[in-house]
Amino acid sequence: MRPIIGVIGGGQLARMMIPRAIELGFELRVLAETEGMSASLAATAVGDYTNVATVLEFARDVDVITFDHEHVPQHVLAALVEADVSVHPGPAPLAVAQDKILMRQELTRLGLPVPVWASVSTAAELDAFIADNGGRVIVKTPRGGYDGKGVRIVTAASDVADWFEAGDPLLAEELVSFTRELAQLAARRPSGEIALWPLVESIQQDGVCAEVIAPAPSLPAPLAQAAADIASTVAEKLGVTGVLAVELFETTDGTLLINELAMRPHNSGHWTMDGAVTSQFEQHLRAVLDLPLGATAARSPWTVMINVLGGPASGTIAERYPLALASQPAAKFHEYGKAPRPGRKVGHVNVSGDDLDDVMYRARAAAAILKD
Amino acid sequence: MRPIIGVIGGGQLARMMIPRAIELGFELRVLAETEGMSASLAATAVGDYTNVATVLEFARDVDVITFDHEHVPQHVLAALVEADVSVHPGPAPLAVAQDKILMRQELTRLGLPVPVWASVSTAAELDAFIADNGGRVIVKTPRGGYDGKGVRIVTAASDVADWFEAGDPLLAEELVSFTRELAQLAARRPSGEIALWPLVESIQQDGVCAEVIAPAPSLPAPLAQAAADIASTVAEKLGVTGVLAVELFETTDGTLLINELAMRPHNSGHWTMDGAVTSQFEQHLRAVLDLPLGATAARSPWTVMINVLGGPASGTIAERYPLALASQPAAKFHEYGKAPRPGRKVGHVNVSGDDLDDVMYRARAAAAILKD
């Protein structure tokens, strides 16, 4: 029998699992939030992922349940486990991904490097943290934030007065002095095997991943080893299964601090679709099925990924293809089937080659035609 | 609006178009012969491709009709053209692919190198051809043959007495003395652009493509140029659109002769899925939509493709994955969703790398686990 993977969530991450599932002969089923989502080709059900009955019905007959996002509530995950459904990643690691305060607690418990942080429940606590950390800090809502949402730089507790109204604690963090952001992508099988891709540099714009350079240029070998050790420790100690992305700061004093964790295929790994022997989407499917992991070596000296944010000001991406494909015949274009909207991730472009300047130029040129 | 491509035929070639259509944001619709075929994920219709009404209904609202195979009858193709449907490749080049005698006539008319051949309608004509060509020749049924079917080596007309009973002429060809078989893959847009992949060597077993080495080893540059010229001439002069495969003999005296033509993605091009910047399936979609063609360069010094013929003697390919994936973590596995049957193409494996011996060993090892 062919393995059946059920994916909760119908966004572009589920969509990008479909090609590899087809190629490997796996059956992919998707529980999409609404009709016409990114992964609609494989959407075998449409429904509310917070509804236990809906999710249990979807999970019938699948070999494993995995996710397009980390937002499935713990009581739904518990019901799946209770019903003997294989769930990867499982409820315990997902709880860490779902709550930024729990994430900081767990990383601290594991002795891993994180920014100075505090859970603050009152304005007074936050103002004290600000005073102790240079007068300017980051505040994050513990839940639901992504792509820069739920994150503010503040100089006084009054800057997040609206967030305190909800009554939940907030995460306060020192403003890290960093030279760049890095990301370590890994995958882990339930039976323990771990695979790590080369460490990459990610360039953010307005809190959203805009560009990725693989591998991270001018990287000291000890830093690469440190990143690999951090990701392996997180994956093992938290019991993460499937793909794990560890977003890191390279600080001005040359060390690493963990920024965020994602327990699913991640934007910082889109370069692997064309730039690595095994893409993060194939690896995720292999990992959650507890199949042996694929080789993670880069296929070219350099691969650059550029997100297409927002999409074209008028018309569709398809209407830009005649120009874009002619302009950059070696670029690999990925379109998510989503309507253009300012700032929205609607696609990405990968370009690989021997010369980083050339690769970067061509990737940016290709993406620019799709979004300007 | 996203482009819509209608594919007639639900076999593995249609199936392997799906991943690239998803990635580029094209809509792919498939008219499958029966339920549960290889391309069932994109099968939006099931019906008889020889029925004009069925095909016209399927072709409504698509931007272009293309094919998984070359067997759609000319009267059906004519009805599509009459209804102003864009059809690529068109009826005229497909007629050449559908009839091996017409193919030999056209290639001869274009001055391209072919084996000595004759259209024979009687046993006397065939015996005369045998006598003129060394006493041992090839006879082919002009229509419907593939993968070694409809081909016999004969020493007397009586060897094909059953074929003469049908009353149609047969194609007789000299038995070419060749050192190896090569294949030149090309793609052409309706507006004229042509792209050529590196020339490959194909190794046949029992008339079926078993292995492909890309590029063909120890290839004299003039021979590569000759193959490229032949494919370009065929594509231009016959008006082929989409992917074209030209199967060639490298003769013992160091020249090329055309063996067969295929006007669709072809087994000799499966290596491009992992070994070239643009795969033949992506290129076919781009070509039939008259979009600019992608780069065709190899991504590694060597890529070897091994067909999985027949599949495992017991159980399924998926049951072999734990061993196969662990054994060859850098191999790319492709499974067609077809039931195993002796000699049937049920999948293939691609391996790329710097050392041909190593690449060949690993590709064969990976494929062997799936089929033995």
Side-chain angles (χ1 to χ4, degrees):
Chain A
M1 297 303 297
R2 68 189 54 247
I4 306 175
I5 300 142
V7 184
I8 297 182
Q12 67 259 25
L13 299 179
R15 177 189 178 98
M16 289 187 273
M17 294 177 198
I18 304 171
R20 301 306 152 186
I22 292 172
E23 289 179 352
L24 286 165
F26 301 153
E27 181 175 340
L28 197 75
R29 298 179 185 174
V30 171
L31 175 63
E33 292 84 332
T34 58
E35 300 282 353
M37 287 190 69
S38 229
S40 55
L41 185 63
T44 50
V46 171
D48 178 3
Y49 61 77
T50 68
N51 182 296
V52 170
T54 300
V55 173
L56 282 177
E57 171 63 24
F58 173 69
R60 273 202 312 163
D61 308 325
V62 305
D63 291 298
V64 62
I65 285 287
T66 189
F67 308 95
D68 171 77
H69 57 72
E70 293 141 334
H71 307 313
V72 177
Q74 284 288 321
H75 75 274
V76 176
L77 299 173
L80 285 168
V81 171
E82 176 73 17
D84 274 332
V85 176
S86 177
V87 179
H88 292 291
L94 275 176
V96 178
Q98 288 171 341
D99 186 314
K100 291 186 203 301
I101 292 174
L102 181 58
M103 186 189 294
R104 286 294 179 234
Q105 287 169 341
E106 289 293 295
L107 295 175
T108 301
R109 180 178 67 81
L110 295 173
L112 294 171
V114 292
V116 175
W117 67 276
S119 170
V120 292
S121 298
T122 66
E125 283 175 16
L126 178 51
D127 278 327
F129 184 85
I130 293 170
D132 288 347
N133 287 280
R136 207 155 162 263
V137 306
I138 302 270
V139 179
K140 299 177 181 177
T141 55
R143 292 176 166 275
Y146 69 98
D147 282 354
K149 295 177 182 66
V151 178
R152 287 186 197 159
I153 298 178
V154 307
T155 54
S158 54
D159 293 341
V160 288
D162 53 330
W163 286 353
F164 274 124
E165 281 170 19
D168 296 320
L170 300 175
L171 174 64
E173 292 182 349
E174 67 170 321
L175 207 55
V176 172
S177 178
F178 62 90
T179 53
R180 59 176 172 175
E181 294 189 58
L182 304 169
Q184 178 63 61
L185 198 71
R188 182 174 172 273
R189 294 169 63 183
S191 54
E193 186 190 3
I194 290 179
L196 297 147
W197 284 269
L199 186 65
V200 303
E201 176 174 345
S202 72
I203 296 151
Q204 315 286 119
Q205 284 171 3
D206 302 325
V208 179
C209 176
E211 302 181 352
V212 168
I213 305 170
S218 307
L219 190 75
L223 224 54
Q225 187 58 53
D229 290 344
I230 288 170
S232 297
T233 301
V234 170
E236 276 173 26
K237 300 297 185 183
L238 298 184
V240 182
T241 44
V243 166
L244 164 73
V246 182
E247 296 183 76
L248 298 156
F249 296 119
E250 183 180 346
T251 65
T252 46
D253 59 356
T255 61
L256 297 178
L257 294 177
I258 300 172
N259 181 16
E260 301 280 355
L261 303 181
M263 296 181 191
R264 50 170 171 74
H266 187 254
N267 202 157
S268 66
H270 288 356
W271 72 276
T272 62
M273 298 176 81
D274 302 295
V277 174
T278 306
S279 82
Q280 65 170 344
F281 297 100
E282 174 174 342
Q283 199 79 298
H284 188 73
L285 298 177
R286 289 162 74 147
V288 299
L289 287 168
D290 204 12
L291 285 170
L293 301 179
T296 51
R299 295 212 56 190
S300 298
W302 299 104
T303 297
V304 167
M305 188 286 314
I306 311 281
N307 270 348
V308 180
L309 296 174
S314 67
T316 64
I317 284 182
E319 289 166 6
R320 306 295 178 98
Y321 271 157
L323 185 56
L325 300 181
S327 157
Q328 299 299 332
K332 306 313 295 175
F333 294 87
H334 299 267
E335 205 263 16
Y336 304 159
K338 293 160 71 177
R341 186 193 301 162
R344 193 180 206 196
K345 293 175 180 173
V346 296
H348 70 270
V349 176
N350 286 331
V351 174
S352 298
D354 296 334
D355 179 83
L356 178 55
D357 287 342
D358 174 61
V359 167
M360 178 63 85
Y361 170 80
R362 291 190 286 124
R364 286 180 175 165
I369 295 172
L370 300 187
K371 62 186 173 187
D372 293 332
Chain B
M1 297 302 299
R2 66 189 56 246
I4 307 174
I5 300 142
V7 184
I8 297 182
Q12 67 258 27
L13 300 179
R15 177 190 178 98
M16 290 188 272
M17 294 177 199
I18 304 172
R20 301 305 154 188
I22 292 172
E23 289 180 351
L24 287 165
F26 302 154
E27 181 175 340
L28 198 76
R29 299 180 184 173
V30 171
L31 176 62
E33 291 85 333
T34 58
E35 300 283 353
M37 288 189 68
S38 227
S40 55
L41 185 62
T44 51
V46 171
D48 178 3
Y49 61 78
T50 68
N51 182 295
V52 170
T54 299
V55 173
L56 281 177
E57 171 63 23
F58 174 68
R60 274 202 312 162
D61 308 325
V62 306
D63 291 298
V64 62
I65 285 287
T66 189
F67 308 96
D68 172 77
H69 57 70
E70 294 140 333
H71 307 314
V72 177
Q74 283 288 321
H75 75 275
V76 176
L77 300 172
L80 285 168
V81 171
E82 176 73 19
D84 275 333
V85 176
S86 177
V87 179
H88 293 291
L94 275 177
V96 178
Q98 288 171 341
D99 186 314
K100 292 186 202 299
I101 292 175
L102 181 58
M103 186 189 293
R104 286 292 180 236
Q105 286 168 341
E106 289 293 295
L107 295 175
T108 302
R109 179 178 68 80
L110 294 173
L112 294 171
V114 293
V116 174
W117 67 276
S119 170
V120 293
S121 297
T122 66
E125 284 176 14
L126 178 53
D127 278 328
F129 184 87
I130 293 170
D132 288 348
N133 288 279
R136 204 153 163 267
V137 306
I138 301 271
V139 179
K140 299 178 181 178
T141 55
R143 292 175 166 277
Y146 69 98
D147 282 353
K149 295 178 181 63
V151 178
R152 286 185 197 159
I153 298 177
V154 307
T155 53
S158 55
D159 292 342
V160 289
D162 52 331
W163 286 355
F164 274 125
E165 280 170 17
D168 297 319
L170 299 175
L171 174 65
E173 293 183 350
E174 67 171 321
L175 208 55
V176 173
S177 176
F178 62 90
T179 52
R180 58 175 170 174
E181 294 189 59
L182 304 169
Q184 177 64 60
L185 199 70
R188 183 175 172 273
R189 293 169 64 182
S191 54
E193 185 189 4
I194 290 179
L196 298 146
W197 283 268
L199 186 65
V200 303
E201 176 174 345
S202 73
I203 297 150
Q204 315 286 119
Q205 283 172 4
D206 303 325
V208 178
C209 175
E211 302 183 351
V212 168
I213 305 169
S218 307
L219 190 75
L223 224 55
Q225 187 58 53
D229 290 345
I230 288 169
S232 296
T233 301
V234 169
E236 275 172 26
K237 301 294 185 185
L238 298 184
V240 182
T241 44
V243 166
L244 164 74
V246 182
E247 296 182 77
L248 298 155
F249 296 119
E250 182 179 347
T251 65
T252 46
D253 58 358
T255 62
L256 297 178
L257 294 176
I258 300 172
N259 181 14
E260 300 280 357
L261 302 181
M263 295 183 191
R264 51 171 171 72
H266 187 253
N267 203 157
S268 66
H270 288 356
W271 72 276
T272 63
M273 298 176 80
D274 302 295
V277 175
T278 306
S279 82
Q280 64 169 346
F281 297 101
E282 175 175 342
Q283 198 81 298
H284 188 73
L285 298 177
R286 289 163 74 146
V288 300
L289 287 168
D290 204 13
L291 284 170
L293 301 179
T296 51
R299 294 211 58 188
S300 297
W302 299 104
T303 296
V304 166
M305 189 287 313
I306 311 281
N307 271 346
V308 180
L309 296 173
S314 66
T316 64
I317 285 182
E319 289 166 5
R320 305 295 177 98
Y321 271 158
L323 185 56
L325 300 181
S327 159
Q328 298 299 331
K332 305 313 296 176
F333 294 86
H334 298 267
E335 204 262 15
Y336 304 158
K338 294 159 71 176
R341 186 193 300 162
R344 192 179 206 197
K345 293 175 180 172
V346 296
H348 70 270
V349 177
N350 286 331
V351 175
S352 298
D354 296 334
D355 179 84
L356 178 55
D357 287 343
D358 173 61
V359 167
M360 177 64 86
Y361 170 79
R362 290 190 288 127
R364 286 179 175 165
I369 294 172
L370 300 187
K371 63 186 172 188
D372 293 332

